[in-house]
Amino acid sequence: MRLSCLQENLSKGLAVVGRAVATRSTLPVTQNVLISTDQSRLKLSATNLEIAITTWIGASIEDEGAITLPARILTEFVNTLEGDKIDVSLPEGNGILSISSGRSKATINGIDAEEFPPIPTVLDGIRAVINAGVLKKAISRVAFAAATEESRPVLTGVELKLEGDDFSLAAADGFRLAVQKDKLTEPIDGNIEVIIPARTMNELNRLISDDSQEIEVVMTPTRGQILFRSGDIEIVSQLLQGNFPNYQQLLPEEYSTKSTFDTNALQRAVRSASIFARDGSNIVRMQLIPPTEEEEDNGKALISARSEEVGDNEDVVDAESLEGEESKIAFNSRYLMDVLAVLDKGNLVLETTTASSPGVFKPLEDDGYTHVIMPMFVQW
């Protein structure tokens, strides 16, 4: 193998595939990056056996070839190079790659490409196209709500539903549920439901750049794997097997109190309360008080937290509007902070029923997002 490429392009390519390099593995070669020539371009691939990322960069190819190299060493060395052009050569049969750029050069011992696990390919199957910005926003609003513990594997994933020209992402960990509904770029035939590991969705989210226009999604007919393609980047992931909970049953159909708040104001008050909640089982109390004729206000929320050891605090947040009866509910402070962080700045809607019923958070301008948090049981 003999080729040359730009240092900037190689550095970016290694950063892309580096997200899929195994950190700990019983198969040492998965800690390597597969470098190969592919139709006059340089192909970089990495896999941890759950997810595989491949990208292509421009290169001047003189001789074809392939080798796997330790990802960390290769990436760190390439990032130190100052020259624009990198020359790469691999004498046939010796497994030692030579890299030179300007006055810098190095040799790196590799492992034969034949020992690298096959990178899964999804050549045909069910295909859908989603606007990159729409998908990135949906992932950001949903994936964080997936479970991190493996006791129920399906809850560590994000459910993707496709039907007609609609799609939805949903994640739940038993204490909260996040659902985002939006539109596909073009309709598909049929109704598809798959569960994608949340780790895959987070990696995809990181790789969607501002330049990305559309994300192509391809699922194998057996639905064992899914591919996401964006420009010169491909991510292939295993799908989780099992049945995702029927979350429609968790979405309350009615409410007794509906309040609207400025997101920034509520976020500031919850952030203050979380300081005290850390030492008090992470409990933040919310008391929603309807407007009164005497005060001529739109209603308000009392946000409070207390700890026997540290102390307590209370904040008042004026509501933009508050309909219904007075309501009391307590939430885990981390869950509150998480949902407030992903809601667009502006106004949000909180729907509550009783202290033991879930609270529902939505943007004021309905854009298909719903977030449900189970309450914490406290003494008022």
Side-chain angles (χ1 to χ4, degrees):
M1 179 169 66
R2 187 181 299 276
L3 61 92
S4 59
C5 62
L6 295 179
Q7 185 272 346
E8 180 183 6
N9 291 344
L10 183 56
S11 178
K12 287 181 178 178
L14 290 171
V16 167
V17 301
R19 306 292 309 188
V21 173
T23 52
R24 297 185 184 89
S25 176
T26 55
L27 192 62
V29 74
T30 57
Q31 297 177 351
N32 285 14
V33 172
L34 174 63
I35 298 178
S36 58
T37 53
D38 182 19
Q39 297 180 351
S40 301
R41 292 193 298 173
L42 184 61
K43 180 181 178 181
L44 307 175
S45 302
T47 181
N48 57 15
L49 303 181
E50 294 180 2
I51 181 175
I53 301 178
T54 299
T55 190
W56 288 261
I57 65 172
S60 176
I61 310 292
E62 294 183 33
D63 294 317
E64 305 281 336
I67 187 71
T68 78
L69 299 171
R72 182 176 61 84
I73 293 173
L74 177 62
T75 302
E76 290 178 355
F77 176 68
V78 168
N79 289 343
T80 65
L81 297 176
E82 295 181 344
D84 289 337
K85 180 184 175 186
I86 294 179
D87 295 311
V88 177
S89 64
L90 175 69
E92 188 173 347
N94 78 347
I96 301 176
L97 189 81
S98 298
I99 303 177
S100 62
S101 178
R103 303 170 74 176
S104 301
K105 60 182 180 180
T107 58
I108 303 177
N109 296 332
I111 299 176
D112 193 286
E114 296 293 329
E115 297 186 31
F116 200 76
I119 299 297
T121 56
V122 184
L123 299 177
D124 59 356
I126 301 151
R127 178 183 177 276
V129 179
I130 307 175
N131 175 275
V134 168
L135 181 58
K136 187 176 182 69
K137 182 177 181 178
I139 296 172
S140 299
R141 285 179 158 192
V142 170
F144 70 89
T148 55
E149 297 180 359
E150 301 284 346
S151 55
R152 292 185 64 189
V154 294
L155 294 186
T156 64
V158 175
E159 185 193 57
L160 170 64
K161 283 186 180 180
L162 305 173
E163 183 176 9
D165 63 350
D166 296 319
F167 84 90
S168 66
L169 294 181
D173 63 3
F175 303 99
R176 55 183 170 176
L177 163 69
V179 182
Q180 176 72 60
K181 298 179 179 180
D182 220 308
K183 295 290 184 180
L184 298 171
T185 301
E186 52 192 56
I188 67 164
D189 294 329
N191 181 8
I192 311 248
E193 297 180 15
V194 295
I195 306 174
I196 307 164
R199 288 190 294 266
T200 298
M201 300 304 285
N202 287 325
E203 295 303 337
L204 174 62
N205 197 27
R206 291 187 183 98
L207 292 176
I208 297 177
S209 67
D210 294 336
D211 299 330
S212 303
Q213 298 296 318
E214 294 179 335
I215 306 297
E216 183 181 3
V217 185
V218 185
M219 284 160 285
T220 55
T222 57
R223 300 183 187 176
Q225 294 171 329
I226 189 167
L227 175 145
F228 297 95
R229 182 182 292 117
S230 174
D232 290 329
I233 300 174
E234 289 185 359
I235 301 178
V236 179
S237 172
Q238 302 291 335
L239 294 173
L240 296 175
Q241 302 303 313
N243 296 316
F244 200 78
N246 181 8
Y247 59 81
Q248 295 294 338
Q249 299 175 345
L250 302 176
L251 300 175
E253 297 180 358
E254 300 178 348
Y255 57 83
S256 58
T257 307
K258 180 178 181 179
S259 47
T260 304
F261 296 98
D262 175 78
T263 303
N264 284 333
L266 192 60
Q267 189 177 38
R268 183 204 58 76
V270 172
R271 187 182 297 115
S272 295
S274 66
I275 297 170
F276 295 85
R278 281 197 299 260
D279 296 297
S281 302
N282 286 321
I283 296 172
V284 170
R285 293 170 167 83
M286 298 182 68
Q287 184 175 355
L288 304 172
I289 302 174
T292 59
E293 294 182 2
E294 295 81 6
E295 296 185 15
E296 296 183 352
D297 60 7
N298 295 322
K300 59 189 175 184
L302 301 182
I303 313 294
S304 63
R306 61 172 176 261
S307 165
E308 297 294 336
E309 297 180 1
V310 176
D312 58 61
N313 90 309
E314 181 178 279
D315 240 311
V316 179
V317 180
D318 290 327
E320 301 294 322
S321 66
L322 203 157
E323 307 167 8
E325 56 194 48
E326 181 174 331
S327 176
K328 294 180 178 179
I329 193 167
F331 296 112
N332 181 297
S333 61
R334 182 170 66 86
Y335 297 163
L336 267 181
M337 290 299 295
D338 283 348
V339 67
L340 293 176
V342 301
L343 286 171
D344 295 333
K345 302 312 174 188
N347 291 340
L348 64 84
V349 173
L350 169 60
E351 297 172 353
T352 58
T353 307
T354 67
S356 58
S357 301
V360 181
F361 294 80
K362 301 176 182 178
L364 179 61
E365 300 294 332
D366 183 21
D367 61 1
Y369 184 63
T370 304
H371 194 97
V372 180
I373 304 179
M374 299 300 293
M376 300 185 77
F377 298 99
V378 299
Q379 296 294 326
W380 290 87

